Amino acid sequence: AQSVAQPEDQVNVAEGNPLTVKCTYSVSGNPYLFWYVQYPNRGLQFLLKYITGDNLVKGSYGFEAEFNKSQTSFHLKKPSALVSDSALYFCAVRDNGGSQGNLIFGKGTKLSVKP
Amino acid sequence: DTGVSQDPRHKITKRGQNVTFRCDPISEHNRLYWYRQTLGQGPEFLTYFQNEAQLEKSRLLSDRFSAERPKGSFSTLEIQRTEQGDSAMYLCASSAGLASYYEQYFGPGTRLTVT
């Protein structure tokens, strides 16, 4: 079965420190991977995606993610965290079981950045 | 372009009543998706339209759930005879083009509370 795992329910980081939010996946075929962020009372916002090409993908708000095929991981990173980065982060993979292109999401990781 | 919009933002209904939610996708986006998100979980795929055609509906949670996209623009999701277990956030997303690697843009969601 295709799935996404986010092993940490919460990540705590001090402002200015680097952050990593972990994601591993299981999918048949080529993985199309996505990160979304959800702020309170707002919809999911697209951050970045990996389709093919360079393993390091750069996205919005200074975030980047590293695709590692051998470890089936797609960790989200940022060199210097901001308090405003505090939110709920979701990793997703395209469901390759059909042609509809829907996403399979992880349970989310709450990022808390303290001043 | 004002993004994906959903109406209403909140709905409180009594068990057994029918409810209908509306989603207006980003204009000219061919694909429209409905997801459900419960507390502490990532979004779960429900159904999908490509233009006006509903190409996947087997993931709808029961036959009480139905969706339409009559003219390939806005979409509605109806839940008949609501149950307390239907309480959740219902999210709509749209994406451009026919390739499934396009990112999906999400609306703010409709929060349903069944009493």
Side-chain angles (χ1 to χ4, degrees), chain B residues 48-67:
Chain B
Y48 146 70
F49 292 85
Q50 185 166 299
N51 298 312
E52 67 274 11
Q54 188 175 13
L55 299 185
E56 173 59 65
K57 55 183 179 180
S58 66
R59 310 282 189 92
L60 287 168
L61 300 167
S62 78
D63 58 7
R64 297 183 296 105
F65 287 70
S66 63

Side-chain angles (χ1 to χ4, degrees), chain A residues 36 49 94-95 100 103, chain B residues 33 35 59 100 103-104:
Chain A
Y36 285 83
K49 65 181 178 183
R94 186 191 70 170
D95 185 350
Q100 60 268 25
L103 299 175
Chain B
Y33 300 81
Y35 292 82
R59 310 282 189 92
S100 60
E103 59 268 25
Q104 296 176 23

Side-chain angles (χ1 to χ4, degrees), chain A residues 34-75:
Chain A
F34 303 81
W35 275 101
Y36 285 83
V37 60
Q38 188 174 39
Y39 296 99
N41 300 315
R42 297 182 65 178
L44 291 160
Q45 295 180 30
F46 170 74
L47 280 178
L48 50 79
K49 65 181 178 183
Y50 171 83
I51 303 300
T52 186
D54 289 342
N55 290 343
L56 186 63
V57 178
K58 294 187 182 299
S60 306
Y61 312 120
F63 283 93
E64 57 190 27
E66 186 170 11
F67 171 66
N68 187 315
K69 187 174 182 179
S70 63
Q71 296 186 4
T72 62
S73 67
F74 189 56
H75 300 331

Side-chain angles (χ1 to χ4, degrees), chain A residues 11 24-25 62 81 104 113 115:
Chain A
V11 170
T24 59
Y25 65 90
I104 298 170
V113 182

Side-chain angles (χ1 to χ4, degrees), chain B residues 5-110:
Chain B
S5 62
Q6 293 187 245
D7 184 68
R9 295 290 304 274
H10 298 91
K11 178 70 177 179
I12 300 174
T13 191
K14 293 184 178 181
R15 187 165 53 106
Q17 298 295 305
N18 299 342
V19 294
T20 299
F21 309 140
R22 176 178 170 126
C23 169
D24 286 89
I26 294 172
S27 57
E28 299 183 357
H29 273 194
N30 301 98
R31 294 190 166 199
L32 187 147
Y33 300 81
W34 284 98
Y35 292 82
R36 184 180 81 154
Q37 185 178 17
T38 54
L39 196 62
Q41 302 294 321
E44 173 189 13
F45 171 65
L46 295 178
T47 189
Y48 146 70
F49 292 85
Q50 185 166 299
N51 298 312
E52 67 274 11
Q54 188 175 13
L55 299 185
E56 173 59 65
K57 55 183 179 180
S58 66
R59 310 282 189 92
L60 287 168
L61 300 167
S62 78
D63 58 7
R64 297 183 296 105
F65 287 70
S66 63
E68 294 183 342
R69 193 183 184 195
K71 297 183 179 179
S73 57
F74 74 91
S75 176
T76 58
L77 177 70
E78 181 182 16
I79 308 174
Q80 296 182 331
R81 305 180 304 280
T82 53
E83 302 173 356
Q84 287 188 324
D86 297 333
S87 295
M89 178 75 84
Y90 291 85
L91 299 170
C92 175
S94 69
S95 67
L98 300 179
S100 60
Y101 50 73
Y102 284 93
E103 59 268 25
Q104 296 176 23
Y105 292 90
F106 284 79
T110 294

